[in-house]
């Protein structure tokens, strides 16, 4: 079986891109309303007139009264990420995921080849290392195309088994929806320097998007070192100042000092 790839043709390298597709309107107001309803005799119309305040939302978090935060939800469009990242992010179970299928979406050279993510650590080794990685991706593309052909080019019936030779580097796209409480948990774990580099970068991009939308809700979101001591103990990265500076830059971008 002959490979469909042209000699010397470069396969598509991809980069992470995140957009905020949708969000609960006035997310901080609905959180405040939910919280105040628990302690107030006011009716819904009366609660709706209540202005949210940063102090109230912060006090809510400090009290550990987090269920009202679940009323605010955010949906993200994510592309240029690897299947390795997909395995990590779907561990966050209080979320909804729609993921591009490798069964229904053919990855063959005739369709334009599969896109892939190159780890920065490999890029840092220099052009020779990058070239070697690209050649390995090319080989896997050849394997995939061969199996699609051997299995009869029968659409998803061929794709579903040919995809077994595709690498973790293979790109995927997804739409992810999380409520604000789960996002706070997600940012606490994944914005930390001990998180894997790809999901860490995704987490910071997501945090920047929601912080602009709801700065009072997410003003202190991130790893524990944002507001206090590192929770990682002996595994601490020792770069808390760097993390705080990145977080401060996000807040300044939202107009908060």
């Amino acid at each position: 079986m002959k490979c469909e790839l042209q000699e010397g043709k470069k396969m598509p390298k991809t980069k992470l891109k995140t957009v905020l597709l949708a969000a609960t309107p006035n997310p901080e107001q609905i959180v405040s309303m939910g919280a105040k309803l628990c302690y107030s005799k006011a009716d819904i119309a009366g609660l709706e007139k209540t202005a949210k305040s940063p102090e109230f939302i912060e006090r809510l978090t400090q009290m550990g009264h987090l269920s009202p935060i679940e009323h605010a939800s955010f949906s993200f469009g994510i592309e240029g990420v690897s299947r390795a990242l997909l395995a990590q992010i779907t561990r966050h179970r209080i979320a909804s995921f729609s993921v591009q299928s490798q069964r229904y979406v053919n990855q063959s050279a005739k369709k334009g080849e599969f896109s892939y993510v190159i780890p920065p650590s490999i890029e840092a080794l220099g052009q020779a290392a990058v070239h070697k990685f690209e050649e390995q991706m090319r080989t896997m593309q050849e394997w995939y195309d061969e199996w699609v052909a051997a299995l009869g080019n029968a659409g998803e019936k061929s794709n579903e088994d040919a995809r077994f030779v595709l690498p973790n580097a293979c790109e995927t796209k997804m739409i992810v929806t999380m409520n604000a409480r789960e996002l706070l948990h997600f940012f606490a774990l994944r914005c930390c320097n001990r998180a894997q580099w790809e999901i860490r970068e995704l987490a910071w991009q997501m945090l920047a998007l929601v912080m602009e939308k709801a700065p009072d809700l997410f003003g202190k979101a991130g790893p524990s070192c944002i507001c206090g001591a590192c929770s990682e103990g002996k595994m601490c990265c020792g770069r808390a100042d760097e993390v705080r500076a990145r977080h401060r830059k996000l807040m300044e971008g939202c107009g908060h000092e």
Side-chain angles (χ1 to χ4, degrees):
M1 300 174 191
K2 291 185 178 180
C3 172
E4 299 289 345
L5 284 172
Q6 298 176 8
E7 187 64 31
K9 182 181 177 182
K10 295 197 74 172
M11 292 170 63
K13 173 190 170 183
T14 188
K15 287 189 176 181
L16 170 62
K17 179 182 177 182
T18 313
V19 294
L20 182 62
L21 298 174
T24 300
N26 303 313
E28 292 166 336
Q29 183 185 36
I30 192 66
V31 168
S32 295
M33 286 176 61
K36 290 185 177 183
L37 179 64
C38 298
Y39 308 105
S40 173
K41 290 184 178 180
D43 57 18
I44 299 299
L47 287 170
E48 197 169 7
K49 296 176 184 177
T50 303
K52 57 91 180 174
S53 70
E55 294 78 18
F56 178 75
I57 291 176
E58 182 174 0
R59 186 164 68 252
L60 195 67
T61 304
Q62 292 173 343
M63 291 168 56
H65 188 186
L66 302 180
S67 59
I69 296 175
E70 296 173 13
H71 291 300
S73 294
F74 301 81
S75 296
F76 305 87
I78 300 167
E79 58 188 4
V81 294
S82 70
R83 300 290 291 196
L85 180 139
L86 177 63
Q88 296 180 78
I89 196 170
T90 50
R91 292 172 185 162
H92 294 270
R93 297 187 297 276
I94 307 175
S96 299
F97 300 93
S98 296
V99 182
Q100 187 179 72
S101 171
Q102 286 185 337
R103 183 185 183 200
Y104 291 100
V105 179
N106 189 281
Q107 306 290 320
S108 72
K110 288 183 178 179
K111 301 291 184 180
E113 302 90 49
F114 69 82
S115 298
Y116 58 86
V117 176
I118 302 181
S121 60
I122 291 178
E123 290 185 314
L125 295 175
Q127 189 54 45
V130 171
H131 178 72
K132 181 177 181 179
F133 188 88
E134 291 171 342
E135 287 301 307
Q136 290 170 340
M137 296 298 104
R138 178 186 294 275
T139 297
M140 293 179 197
Q141 179 73 72
E142 292 172 357
W143 292 344
Y144 176 85
D145 293 345
E146 288 175 2
W147 282 117
V148 168
L151 294 168
N153 280 310
E156 63 267 22
K157 290 185 178 180
S158 300
N159 301 342
E160 67 182 5
D161 288 339
R163 63 182 168 172
F164 275 67
V165 298
L166 292 174
N168 269 338
C170 190
E171 184 208 14
T172 194
K173 301 176 178 69
M174 68 186 83
I175 292 176
V176 177
T177 299
M178 295 185 187
N179 66 49
R181 183 177 183 177
E182 177 60 15
L183 279 170
L184 290 173
H185 174 66
F186 178 75
F187 296 143
L189 296 178
R190 303 301 188 172
C191 288
C192 176
N193 278 339
R194 283 190 37 76
Q196 185 259 359
W197 65 268
E198 189 180 19
I199 199 168
R200 182 172 70 243
E201 182 56 33
L202 172 62
W204 278 102
Q205 287 193 19
M206 291 168 64
L207 177 56
L209 291 168
V210 297
M211 190 180 285
E212 185 174 352
K213 188 76 174 177
D216 296 333
L217 270 178
F218 297 104
K220 294 185 178 179
S224 58
C225 63
I226 294 296
C227 299
C230 175
S231 61
E232 293 292 321
K234 292 181 180 179
M235 304 299 289
C236 178
C237 71
R239 294 155 57 193
D241 288 344
E242 174 188 311
V243 176
R244 290 169 188 153
R246 184 172 187 176
H247 189 274
R248 187 162 54 250
K249 187 175 180 181
L250 290 187
M251 287 296 289
E252 289 170 354
C254 297
H256 285 240
E257 297 298 329

